[in-house]
Amino acid sequence: DKKYLNFKFKRIGKKTDNHTELVVTVRDVTRQVQLAMRLKEEEERREKLLQLMLSILDVEPQMLTDFSESANRELEFLDTIINQSEVVDYDNFLEKVHRSVHLIKGNAKLLNIDYFATQAHQFEDIVSEFQKRKEKITAKDIDTLRKRLKEMQTGMDEMERIIEKIGKVLA
């Protein structure tokens, strides 16, 4: 486990012959640092959700439904190809992933849903980096794609919960 420590030094005697007597106090501040990091992550997540909610309010309901259905189809497709047992043709695999993510990004940009456009752009950048490399992608690379996919799926779930809540308020 990672530990965070705070060191405090205090001189207790006079400096003699290039020696100084010190008392060192060491405090374990791991819990405080972890809580601060979690608080910052939660604040960032709430800010993103607020931006998503504001974006949603500016989109026509039918267009939002179309975006949601299209994005979910692409995410299901990505889930299928990323989680398949073995990738044989890496170039074709990466091209399919890139195309699906690019479609989600384009639709999100068209509707000014910056939350998804940003997520998809970051995903797309990772895929582009993999495509530029000459060697095959590794299991670690596939895990990176899975992690990005999971983040996008979670974002879609959050968007659908927001839409549902807004619908209840307006009903």
Side-chain angles (χ1 to χ4, degrees):
D1 289 337
K2 197 177 231 182
K3 292 285 186 182
Y4 296 91
L5 303 174
N6 183 351
F7 294 88
K8 201 179 243 185
F9 299 92
K10 183 171 182 164
R11 189 179 322 170
I12 59 170
K14 293 185 176 183
K15 186 176 179 181
T16 58
D17 298 330
N18 294 330
H19 295 283
T20 303
E21 295 176 354
L22 298 173
V23 170
V24 179
T25 307
V26 180
R27 284 185 14 173
D28 184 353
V29 292
T30 304
R31 179 116 171 97
Q32 293 91 329
V33 171
Q34 289 172 338
L35 287 172
M37 288 176 5
R38 271 192 262 158
L39 179 61
K40 183 179 179 192
E41 288 171 4
E42 183 61 24
E43 287 173 349
E44 289 171 355
R45 189 183 77 78
R46 291 207 178 266
E47 179 64 29
K48 288 177 182 177
L49 288 176
L50 178 61
Q51 290 174 354
L52 177 59
M53 185 178 71
L54 293 173
S55 297
I56 290 169
L57 291 173
D58 282 341
V59 178
E60 297 277 335
Q62 185 57 49
M63 293 177 82
L64 193 57
T65 301
D66 292 345
F67 169 75
S68 179
E69 289 171 358
S70 171
N72 277 320
R73 257 192 322 274
E74 293 303 322
L75 291 173
E76 285 174 21
F77 173 73
L78 287 167
D79 190 51
T80 301
I81 65 170
I82 289 174
N83 291 314
Q84 65 187 351
S85 59
E86 187 176 326
V87 176
V88 180
D89 184 355
Y90 291 99
D91 292 334
N92 187 36
F93 167 78
L94 290 173
E95 185 57 36
K96 287 179 181 178
V97 171
H98 189 270
R99 195 176 312 124
S100 282
V101 172
H102 188 73
L103 181 63
I104 294 170
K105 180 179 109 174
N107 290 340
K109 276 284 198 192
L110 184 67
L111 298 175
N112 292 321
I113 304 176
D114 293 336
Y115 178 81
F116 284 107
T118 301
Q119 275 192 323
H121 183 73
Q122 291 169 348
F123 196 149
E124 197 176 41
D125 284 348
I126 291 169
V127 174
S128 293
E129 286 299 315
F130 292 162
Q131 287 174 317
K132 289 177 188 174
R133 293 192 310 196
K134 298 300 177 199
E135 71 256 6
K136 292 181 179 179
I137 57 176
T138 65
K140 184 178 176 184
D141 297 336
I142 298 289
D143 286 342
T144 301
L145 296 177
R146 283 188 185 113
K147 180 182 175 203
R148 282 294 175 174
L149 174 61
K150 182 70 176 157
E151 289 171 4
M152 289 189 70
Q153 290 168 326
T154 300
M156 184 57 67
D157 292 342
E158 289 174 341
M159 184 182 92
E160 289 170 353
R161 279 194 298 275
I162 291 170
I163 293 169
E164 186 179 317
K165 286 179 183 179
I166 292 171
K168 287 179 182 177
V169 168
L170 296 177

